[in-house]
Amino acid sequence: MQLGTDWLPFYRYRERFVRAGFEVIDCPPYTAMKNGADIRIVVDALDTLSADPFCQEFMIASGDSDMTPLLHRLRRADRRTLIIAPPDAAAALTSSADQVLDSHQLLADIDRAVDELTGRGVRFERYEGFAQDAKGVLRGEAGPPIAWFTDTAGNVLSVIQQ
């Protein structure tokens, strides 16, 4: 399994993930404002599109208009697209998705976010050594509440309360 991270918010969990057998993929900044996370998301989505004909819906957490061509490609392949984006996300991106969830509203309450995603079929991960609650949320470990789930390409993603 791969774990893609922007390393600063998740660094305190790194050692535990490595011990649990995850491949941690760091996406350090290439410039003062950009890292390599977006291209990794695109590559993983295209790999999944070509390898898994049963994957009918893609959920992408981004407000970056650079993801618009990916949404167009997924829709040409007759796949549904849902983005989790901030309210000020690029109009080109939000108008290209089948559905848009407001990330600020969703992540203001992690329990609501987990319930919403669980209702869409997302299964949250449980990890040995982490004191997660019944929903899979890790709370009170010197950081905001966080829960992890695995996408169809095997990447571990997180929902973190802001």
Side-chain angles (χ1 to χ4, degrees), residues 86-97:
D88 62 346
L93 179 72
T94 58
S95 64
S96 299

Side-chain angles (χ1 to χ4, degrees), residues 37-47 66-67 70:
D38 53 355
I39 194 64
R40 297 227 34 133
I41 292 169
V42 171
V43 169
D44 286 341
L46 293 176
D47 284 350
D66 291 351
M67 293 292 163
L70 173 61

